[in-house]
Structure formats: C-alpha cells, structure tokens
C-alpha cells in the first residue's frame, strides 16, 4: 500500500490487515525511528556515512503496539515536529534506504511472508512482486484537513499543513532513490470522496478477486 501522507494509508492498511488476519507494517515509522535516533545523537541529517554508523548501533522493530527503538516504544516521539521535518532528508540517502529496506523485508519474512505493508516504495521496490498493490491518492486540501486532526498538526492552520504536505510530497517524489510513484501494476484509488470503509471494501474486493 503506497501513497503520500494524509491519504488514509495507515487507517486503511490497519483495517485491511485486521480483515485479512495479517500483520501490518508502517514503513514510514521505520524511517521516522531512524530519524529520531540520528537527531537525538546530534548527527547532521545530510551526513550519510555518519547516519549509517549511528544506525548500526540501534535496533528498529515494529511490534503490534507500534514502532520500537532499542526495545522501547517511540510511537509518540517519532511524530514530533523535529522528526517530521528531517525524515524526508534521511530517507533520500540511498544507502540508508538499503539498510532500512533490509529490515522491512526481514520483518515480513518473520511474519511468514504475508503482511499488509504501507509506505512510499513498497509496490515499486521493497516488494515489487507483491500479489496485490494499491496506491492511494487524495487532493492536498483533503489530506491537510485529515492531517489537521493528528497530534503532529496541533496549532497549525489547514493551509500551513497543506503547504508542509506539498513540500514533503515534492521531496519524496523527486528524490533519485525510490521516488514516490505508483507501481505500473498498482490499482490507484482516489480517496478524496470516499469513506474509510468504502476504501477498505474496495481493497478487500481486489484481494478476494485475486484469490477466487
Ligand atoms: O508515512 P510517513 O509520513 O510516516 O513517512 C515519513 C517519511 O518517510 C516520508 O516523508 C518519506 C519516508 N518514507 C519513505 O521514504 N519510504 C517509505 N516506504 C515510507 C516512508
């Protein structure tokens, strides 16, 4: 499941995973946990070698309760403004991506090879042979309105959130390493006018359509 922020990816992915009895992995949270470790260590977010050495000292995992860094839950800390501002820069480093993608692939293997995995490059790179690929989109304003309810958006206007979302989209889709884009064989769903339940239902039909 790929798409930019604020399209409802996490909520939809969790519900689809529940319905299918599968584990769920939020790969954005793995990049955020890496960013948290790097920011806490005071490392320059542009210094790829230093980032790689720092990450070698840490353990990033995804438990049922959410993202873990060195065995402790960091679901709230990874949503801080500082992490959100720096995560696109960290995730643009190709060798950093390789390390984090390896972790994501190992994680899915540990789940028996079946899971709902959400991110930006899951259908194009991480699991390019996935049996079902979904790409969610929605207009920037709709996404900003949805994000306005999130903890990380508190105190900001919808226009400010929309501007931040567009800046992050731009950074994520124009980077050289694994840019955000739909896989050629992904089903693209525009969620602007759909409820969460409607999106979940259409994905379940796609999955069931494949298995019959
Ligand atoms: O989904 P999110 O907003 O938590 O993702 C945070 C950042 O992580 C996003 O701006 C880009 C990066 N990311 C990525 O490069 N590849 C992924 N598969 C998931 C997230």
């Amino acid at each position: 499941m790929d798409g930019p922020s604020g399209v409802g990816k996490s909520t939809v992915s969790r519900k689809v995973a529940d319905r299918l009895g599968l584990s769920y992995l939020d790969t954005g949270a793995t990049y955020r946990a890496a960013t948290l470790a790097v920011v806490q260590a005071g490392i320059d977010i542009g210094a790829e070698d230093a980032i790689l050495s720092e990450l070698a000292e840490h353990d990033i995992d995804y438990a049922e309760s959410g993202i873990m860094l060195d065995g402790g839950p960091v679901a709230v800390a990874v949503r801080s403004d500082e992490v959100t501002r720096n995560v696109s820069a960290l995730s643009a480093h190709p060798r950093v991506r390789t390390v984090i993608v390896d972790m994501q692939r190992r994680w899915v293997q540990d789940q028996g090879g079946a899971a709902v995995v959400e991110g930006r490059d899951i259908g194009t790179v991480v699991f390019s042979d996935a049996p079902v690929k979904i790409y969610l989109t929605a207009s920037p304003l709709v996404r900003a309105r949805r994000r306005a309810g999130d903890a990380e958006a508190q105190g900001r206007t919808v226009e400010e959130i929309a501007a931040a979302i567009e800046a992050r989209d731009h950074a994520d889709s124009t980077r050289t390493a694994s840019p955000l884009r739909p896989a050629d064989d992904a089903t693209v769903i525009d969620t602007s006018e759909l409820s969460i339940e409607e999106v979940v239902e259409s994905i379940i039909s796609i999955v069931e359509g494949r298995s019959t």
Side-chain angles (χ1 to χ4, degrees), residues 77-87 152-154 156:
V78 299
R79 300 268 147 203
S80 73
D81 242 8
E82 194 178 20
V83 169
T84 302
R85 268 188 281 108
N86 285 291
V87 64
E152 70 185 71
Q154 294 309 307
R156 290 193 291 161

Side-chain angles (χ1 to χ4, degrees), residues 2-6 9-10 26-32 35 78-79 84 87-88 91-92 97 101 104 118-122 126 147 152 168-169 172 175 177-178:
D2 288 315
S5 57
K9 271 195 324 283
S10 302
D26 170 5
T27 62
T30 63
Y31 289 96
R32 285 173 180 271
T35 304
V78 299
R79 300 268 147 203
T84 302
V87 64
S88 281
S91 60
R97 294 195 74 81
V101 165
Q104 295 164 358
E118 140 195 10
R120 303 288 196 288
D121 60 341
I122 308 307
V126 186
R147 270 283 140 114
E152 70 185 71
R168 197 139 65 90
D169 281 359
D172 292 345
R175 68 179 178 219
S178 308

Side-chain angles (χ1 to χ4, degrees), residues 88-101:
S88 281
L90 175 131
S91 60
H93 294 302
R95 286 178 294 143
V96 171
R97 294 195 74 81
T98 302
V99 168
I100 297 179
V101 165

